[in-house]
Amino acid sequence: MRIWIATLLCACVTDKEPESSNGADSATDQPDVECTQDSECSDGFICEAQECISGDRNNSQEEAISLLWSDSRNGTINPAGDIDYYSFNASGGEYIRIYTTTEYDEDDTVLVLRDPNGKILTWSDDYPTGSQVSSKDSVIFAYLPIAGTYLITVQDYGTYFNTTPNGSPFYGYGLYLEEWQRHTRENDSMENPQLGIDMENTNMWDSVGVNIQEDGDMDYVSINYTADSPALQLSGVINLDGSDLYSLVNLYNDEGQLLSSQTEVGPSGTLRYPMMTPGTYLLEITDSGGLGSAEHWTFLFPIARDISVEYHQDTEPNDDNTTPTDLPLEVTSNSNGNEYGFGYGVGSLGAADEDWFVVSNPYDDGTLVVCLASTLYGSTLSPSIDIYDAGLNLLGSQISDPNSDPNAAIDSISYNAGDYYIRIYTEEVLVEESHSNWYQFITFAASFNPESYSCP
């Protein structure tokens, strides 16, 4: 989660955005080297007319190198603009992972997977979620709906996105193809899921394949959660070009109570739940339109986020300003040396309930910000926010918009040092307690007027 004011990034876990490569090493012929075959030339060179020249083979579908299951190949992006082709045969119904690794300083490969009809199933510049992982350059997870010959292409970021193509005899990579065994299976049910995963570490992705094979089908994954983090995040494949699935994902606790619900996980959304405790949970995955087929597939990626600051959960009773939940600020500064404090609050609302938090602002002539997210990540609650000063004068108010990002934000409130109160409430009539009526927010107290900020 990236949290910043002005130009500072605080010490929180972030997903790095991909950067394009600029420039390329010069690709020249190997002088005075005679050859009869490519193996007699150095990496990044091929044998033509008994001379080693810069370049490689497999530059078209007709020249595609054939891969076996659990196979790997070494290749080179050379020259700039090079696209390498690989193929493999499948019976249909397999779940797979394909990835590249490289140690080239200016590497940034893009993988593309096409089905036997030439249709793009998926592609990836980094991890399928859009984030980066340290050990791999590009990663694809996919389900193969039909039998036939599938095509893989490997190319540089600049070539794929038509920016600055990169290439060099030194731009080597490894390509790996493997079948993926962690996926849902038929004859499962809410009472008897056929797939279970253990989540005991933070900041480590789990990868689960799903195929909704028939109309009305629902697939289930049980989660044994022991990670030392209250922040569960469920992401998906963002590039599902070759899937017909419009997913609906529900998260339940071990009592069958709904905690979070999200549609289009991956291409359009992320599911979160910010109040995880050790225990057993259940994911339910289906098509939001009730459809199903071999083409209705996805991969889901649960992760327990390692949070660098404490999540302060509302503590009942805190229904008014006399018994508020204390929300301390963590103080830091931006790159210009200007101080600010920030704190996280999480909670849920029940029938006839409202939550109050109290925060101490240490800065005269400072600025207050409160930013909230709920339905954005799967909550069924769209609450309102009020900010009051120490004398209970209303400083700002905002009704959540379930379709906006963030759901609600109040900013640019000038405020001197002293306490202020945050009230979370709803005008809806909540007839019963629901664990899915949760919210999360961040508040900033800055010694200056921030140019920008980020929500949880």
Side-chain angles (χ1 to χ4, degrees):
M1 182 181 305
R2 183 177 293 131
I3 302 166
W4 55 286
I5 292 182
T7 58
L8 174 79
L9 288 175
C10 77
C12 302
V13 175
T14 66
D15 289 332
K16 295 171 58 181
E17 297 297 329
E19 300 176 353
S20 60
S21 299
N22 294 316
D25 294 319
S26 61
T28 58
D29 296 348
Q30 281 186 272
D32 303 323
V33 176
E34 294 185 359
C35 60
T36 57
Q37 55 188 354
D38 292 346
S39 60
E40 296 173 355
C41 302
S42 301
D43 291 342
F45 292 83
I46 57 175
C47 184
E48 290 288 339
Q50 297 184 327
E51 292 185 1
C52 291
I53 65 171
S54 178
D56 63 5
R57 308 292 181 183
N58 68 320
N59 295 316
S60 67
Q61 182 174 351
E62 293 71 27
E63 295 180 312
I65 295 175
S66 179
L67 297 173
L68 302 175
W69 288 104
S70 299
D71 202 359
S72 64
R73 287 287 189 276
N74 292 322
T76 307
I77 302 296
N78 185 38
D82 182 31
I83 302 176
D84 291 345
Y85 290 78
Y86 301 85
S87 65
F88 65 95
N89 294 319
S91 300
E94 297 94 343
Y95 296 82
I96 65 168
R97 179 174 71 163
I98 307 169
Y99 64 92
T100 60
T101 61
T102 177
E103 297 180 358
Y104 181 58
D105 289 341
E106 298 183 31
D107 68 281
D108 196 354
T109 61
V110 175
L111 279 170
V112 181
L113 176 64
R114 290 176 172 83
D115 72 10
N117 298 315
K119 178 181 178 181
I120 293 179
L121 277 184
T122 185
W123 63 273
S124 181
D125 170 35
D126 295 296
Y127 204 65
T129 60
S131 59
Q132 292 182 338
V133 294
S134 58
S135 60
K136 300 173 180 64
D137 187 38
S138 302
V139 185
I140 278 177
F141 284 89
Y143 176 76
L144 309 180
I146 59 176
T149 301
Y150 288 77
L151 192 68
I152 303 168
T153 55
V154 184
Q155 57 194 292
D156 180 66
Y157 177 97
T159 302
Y160 186 83
F161 289 103
N162 295 314
T163 56
T164 305
N166 198 358
S168 164
F170 309 105
Y171 195 156
Y173 63 85
L175 174 67
Y176 302 82
L177 167 67
E178 60 187 13
E179 194 165 1
W180 196 253
Q181 300 299 330
R182 186 172 290 187
H183 56 82
T184 58
R185 293 168 173 84
E186 290 311 303
N187 300 319
D188 60 355
S189 65
M190 180 174 285
E191 296 75 20
N192 186 29
Q194 298 295 301
L195 175 65
I197 60 175
D198 293 319
M199 296 187 65
E200 57 185 359
N201 298 310
T202 58
N203 280 4
M204 292 187 64
W205 294 107
D206 278 279
S207 309
V208 177
V210 178
N211 176 215
I212 305 301
Q213 296 183 4
E214 299 177 351
D215 291 358
D217 184 23
M218 294 183 178
D219 284 4
Y220 296 91
V221 180
S222 66
I223 298 175
N224 178 30
Y225 194 89
T226 58
D228 185 20
S229 170
L232 173 70
Q233 176 179 318
L234 184 72
S235 299
V237 179
I238 61 174
N239 299 310
L240 279 176
D241 304 61
S243 174
D244 293 333
L245 180 68
Y246 291 85
S247 65
L248 169 63
V249 182
N250 296 320
L251 174 69
Y252 297 94
N253 62 16
D254 58 358
E255 297 179 1
Q257 297 166 326
L258 180 67
L259 303 180
S260 194
S261 179
Q262 184 67 287
T263 57
E264 277 292 83
V265 174
S268 301
T270 299
L271 181 148
R272 292 182 185 172
Y273 187 66
M275 295 182 287
M276 295 290 287
T277 57
T280 302
Y281 298 82
L282 188 72
L283 289 175
E284 178 184 71
I285 309 102
T286 190
D287 182 78
S288 59
L291 302 178
S293 72
E295 284 76 28
H296 285 71
W297 65 270
T298 190
F299 269 78
L300 299 176
F301 306 94
I303 188 172
R305 283 298 187 191
D306 182 17
I307 59 173
S308 58
V309 295
E310 185 177 354
Y311 280 22
H312 297 278
Q313 187 169 342
D314 76 291
T315 304
E316 299 293 343
N318 63 342
D319 295 334
D320 55 41
N321 68 299
T322 64
T323 56
T325 298
D326 186 47
L327 181 57
L329 297 178
E330 181 166 324
V331 176
T332 184
S333 60
N334 66 7
S335 59
N336 295 322
N338 297 316
E339 278 195 3
Y340 66 93
F342 61 93
Y344 285 94
V346 299
S348 61
L349 295 183
D353 184 26
E354 57 184 68
D355 292 342
W356 286 68
F357 295 82
V358 62
V359 189
S360 180
N361 171 36
Y363 307 112
D364 280 327
D365 299 321
T367 305
L368 304 183
V369 174
V370 177
C371 189
L372 178 144
S374 57
T375 56
L376 180 64
Y377 297 117
S379 171
T380 53
L381 178 72
S382 187
S384 299
I385 312 172
D386 288 344
I387 304 179
Y388 296 90
D389 66 14
L392 293 186
N393 299 300
L394 184 64
L395 302 177
S397 185
Q398 179 73 55
I399 299 174
S400 293
D401 181 350
N403 299 311
S404 70
D405 181 5
N407 291 131
I410 305 174
D411 55 26
S412 300
I413 296 177
S414 299
Y415 194 67
N416 287 323
D419 290 346
Y420 64 97
Y421 295 94
I422 300 171
R423 177 193 178 207
I424 311 294
Y425 65 101
T426 179
E427 302 291 349
E428 300 176 51
V429 178
L430 303 178
V431 296
E432 60 183 16
E433 183 75 19
S434 174
H435 289 73
S436 62
N437 285 332
W438 57 267
Y439 59 85
Q440 58 180 1
F441 69 88
I442 187 171
T443 182
F444 296 98
S447 61
F448 57 97
N449 187 22
E451 298 176 358
S452 57
Y453 58 89
S454 290
C455 280

